[in-house]
Amino acid sequence: MKKWMAGLGLGVLALGGVLAVRTATFAPAGVSDGSQIKVAPAPAFDLASAANHLGAAVRFLTVSNQDPAENKAEEWSKLQAWLQATYPQAHAAMQRRLIGQTMLYTWPGSDPAAQPIILMAHQDVVPVTPGTEQDWKHPPFSGEIAEGAVWGRGSIDDKGSLVALFEALEALAASGFHPKRTIILVSGHDEEVGGTGAEAAAKVLADEKVRALFAIDEGGLITTDTPIVNGPALMIGVAEKGYVTLKVTAPAEGGHSSAPPKETGVINLSRALIAISDNPFPVELRGPGASMLDAFGARAGGMTKVAIANRWLFAPLLKAQATKSPASAAMFHTTIAPTMLGGSPKENVLPQSAYGLVNYRIAPWDSSAKVLERARASVKGMPVTVDFTERKPREPTPVSSSTSEGWNLIAAAALADRPGTPVSPYLVVAGTDSRSMAGVADDVYRFQAIALDTGEIKIIHGTNEHMTLTNLESLIRFYARLVATAAG
């Protein structure tokens, strides 16, 4: 017994030693901070004028409705004409092409051997939910400047970035800047309903044999209350999840509701949807989510750092923590969300067919084929069918490097105002136009240099969307520095 206890004690000591050494020497693998980059200064610009310009951009009703027939095409034309009038020096420096309503600009660089860079921001916005207009502190399309912010739909997503890009390019052009790298700006017209405009622009660039150093779009940001580090962090999106919707159909005999059979189409459909939801994809500590944990773990202290540095032992604990909120859990697995139902056209009629739609956001290590396979396995033996909807599945994007020249340029430009802030890769769980650029850029990144806390993020696509003047200034300075550093 004494020998056994002594052996156990030695084992515990050895384990403690391993944990201590791994924790003390832990550093995130494959994540750099751009510290070797010398960042060019941003030229002077007028923030008050920029705020007025963003307010004006908000007032154009470039709303992408689910039914395209409800869109007001003339609003896109008005916005584009306004951009030309408002930013004359940027337009004098750049060549402008329209692909439908999508804008493709090129500012030729002096070095034809240098890879270009691609800057992105879309023109369209989501609708305001009918009946919620009175919940806004300032009318949703007023573009009012109040309380130190520009208010209105699209002020962040994504007219904030569009205006900030033009403010930066206008200031650079006015300062006499001449790029060595070619600068390409892509502004899609329908990002909120699929992004066909960005796809068309990417095809044009591919046909022209463009191979950019990087593309940058919306998607990541500066979170001010980041878990683990308990403070701000630069979250640079290196990939985004795929998207697919499955249709689950339960055929039935139908008939009068006064004499229902034991099992109706609705009952069978309900059981099938529950079976699919009760068979979730496993949480996995891999991909951009795992890289994020490593980046933050290097800055953490106490048992948090011990756990992250020794994932081999503490993986179950880390997974439990990662799934405490839906937002964090979404970064570590493919999500399943039943969203729509259909059945009888009348309350007293049994449907001959009931259906449900299940939306999936696919993790980088999964695929639409795996989604379909898993759903069908979940309902095996049930009187239902499971198939893709008419909408083509969108696979997860490639994962971009977090040590490349493009990454370092973006990180350095973002850190110029925030030295010492942790920089982390990030998995974008929604979709952006940037996914279309994977074929024409070495790396694709998603980042807006605006600071928001967890509660404030909810205003994107929500009520009271607004861009603070502090964030607007940060965004303009970031884009100006990035362009001046990358292309100068």
Side-chain angles (χ1 to χ4, degrees):
M1 184 67 174
K2 290 181 179 179
K3 289 183 178 179
W4 184 85
M5 290 297 293
L8 178 61
L10 288 173
V12 170
L13 286 173
L15 176 61
V18 170
L19 296 179
V21 170
R22 288 179 62 89
T23 302
T25 59
F26 179 71
V31 180
S32 55
D33 62 3
S35 56
Q36 73 276 27
I37 302 290
K38 183 178 180 181
V39 179
F45 60 89
D46 186 333
L47 180 59
S49 176
N52 285 322
H53 290 160
L54 178 54
V58 167
R59 289 191 283 274
F60 293 104
L61 302 180
T62 52
V63 179
S64 276
N65 294 285
Q66 205 61 36
D67 181 359
E70 298 177 14
N71 296 346
K72 300 177 180 179
E74 67 277 8
E75 293 293 319
W76 276 260
S77 298
K78 291 177 183 177
L79 171 63
Q80 292 161 14
W82 174 82
L83 287 169
Q84 290 177 283
T86 305
Y87 301 105
Q89 298 204 57
H91 279 80
M94 297 189 292
Q95 302 160 1
R96 175 179 176 270
R97 288 179 282 178
L98 281 180
I99 305 169
Q101 291 172 321
T102 287
M103 299 184 295
L104 176 58
Y105 287 86
T106 305
W107 190 344
S110 61
D111 183 358
Q115 287 182 273
I117 61 173
I118 299 174
L119 312 171
M120 303 184 71
H122 61 86
Q123 305 163 59
D124 61 325
V125 302
V126 296
V128 172
T129 304
T132 66
E133 294 86 352
Q134 70 276 8
D135 297 331
W136 287 67
K137 296 174 72 174
H138 304 276
F141 291 100
S142 66
E144 286 186 17
I145 301 173
E147 303 174 60
V150 181
W151 294 76
R153 174 63 79 230
S155 54
I156 293 178
D157 184 11
D158 192 27
K159 288 178 178 175
S161 287
L162 183 64
V163 167
L165 275 170
F166 272 101
E167 292 287 335
L169 294 172
E170 182 78 3
L172 286 166
S175 72
F177 175 76
H178 296 286
K180 294 178 182 177
R181 294 185 191 274
T182 293
I183 300 162
I184 298 169
L185 191 155
V186 177
S187 182
H189 71 279
D190 64 346
E191 189 270 353
E192 299 291 2
V193 288
T196 63
E199 290 175 3
K203 184 178 185 308
V204 169
L205 296 175
D207 290 344
E208 295 174 352
K209 310 301 182 186
V210 168
R211 188 68 191 180
L213 180 67
F214 67 85
I216 182 169
D217 197 2
E218 61 174 338
L221 42 75
I222 305 161
T223 53
T224 60
D225 55 349
T226 316
I228 301 177
V229 296
N230 299 316
L234 306 179
M235 311 290 286
I236 302 176
V238 293
E240 60 187 62
K241 298 178 83 172
Y243 182 108
V244 69
T245 299
L246 300 184
K247 185 175 184 179
V248 184
T249 305
E253 291 186 6
H256 201 287
S257 65
S258 61
K262 184 177 180 181
E263 294 186 353
T264 66
V266 170
I267 290 173
N268 290 333
L269 173 66
S270 301
R271 289 173 177 163
L273 293 176
I274 291 171
I276 289 171
S277 297
D278 283 348
N279 186 24
F281 283 78
V283 171
E284 300 188 52
L285 301 179
R286 59 192 290 194
S291 297
M292 180 188 70
L293 284 179
D294 287 348
F296 292 159
R299 296 294 193 100
M303 283 305 298
T304 300
K305 185 173 183 178
V306 173
I308 294 174
N310 296 277
R311 194 185 307 164
W312 60 277
L313 180 61
F314 293 102
L317 174 63
L318 291 172
K319 288 180 180 180
Q321 289 296 314
T323 55
K324 276 194 169 182
S325 75
S328 62
M331 295 188 64
F332 297 96
H333 72 147
T334 294
T335 55
I336 304 173
T339 55
M340 297 180 71
L341 300 171
S344 172
K346 198 171 186 299
E347 64 188 58
N348 62 348
V349 174
L350 298 174
Q352 288 183 290
S353 178
Y355 75 87
L357 299 185
V358 185
N359 182 249
Y360 293 75
R361 301 302 173 103
I362 311 169
W365 50 89
D366 287 327
S367 66
S368 61
K370 286 184 180 180
V371 164
L372 182 60
E373 179 184 12
R374 191 178 189 89
R376 285 177 170 172
S378 300
V379 299
K380 188 175 181 179
M382 295 185 178
V384 298
T385 62
V386 182
D387 290 291
F388 294 126
T389 61
E390 294 80 7
R391 180 172 179 171
K392 183 180 177 181
R394 190 173 74 221
E395 303 300 333
T397 69
V399 179
S400 294
S401 171
S402 51
T403 60
S404 68
E405 183 180 1
W407 167 277
N408 282 312
L409 285 164
I410 292 167
L415 282 168
D417 282 335
R418 302 167 180 83
T421 304
V423 182
S424 172
Y426 172 68
L427 176 61
V428 177
V429 298
T432 73
D433 270 346
S434 67
R435 66 181 176 273
S436 297
M437 299 299 147
V440 294
D442 289 350
D443 291 291
V444 179
Y445 299 106
R446 302 143 184 95
F447 179 73
Q448 284 176 296
I450 61 174
L452 299 174
D453 64 31
T454 304
E456 291 169 330
I457 290 173
K458 296 176 183 178
I459 64 175
I460 302 173
H461 284 205
T463 298
N464 286 323
E465 182 179 356
H466 62 277
M467 173 76 77
T468 67
L469 300 188
T470 299
N471 275 334
L472 180 59
E473 180 178 20
S474 171
L475 200 51
I476 297 169
R477 287 168 63 87
F478 166 73
Y479 284 132
R481 282 175 170 154
L482 177 62
V483 172
T485 306

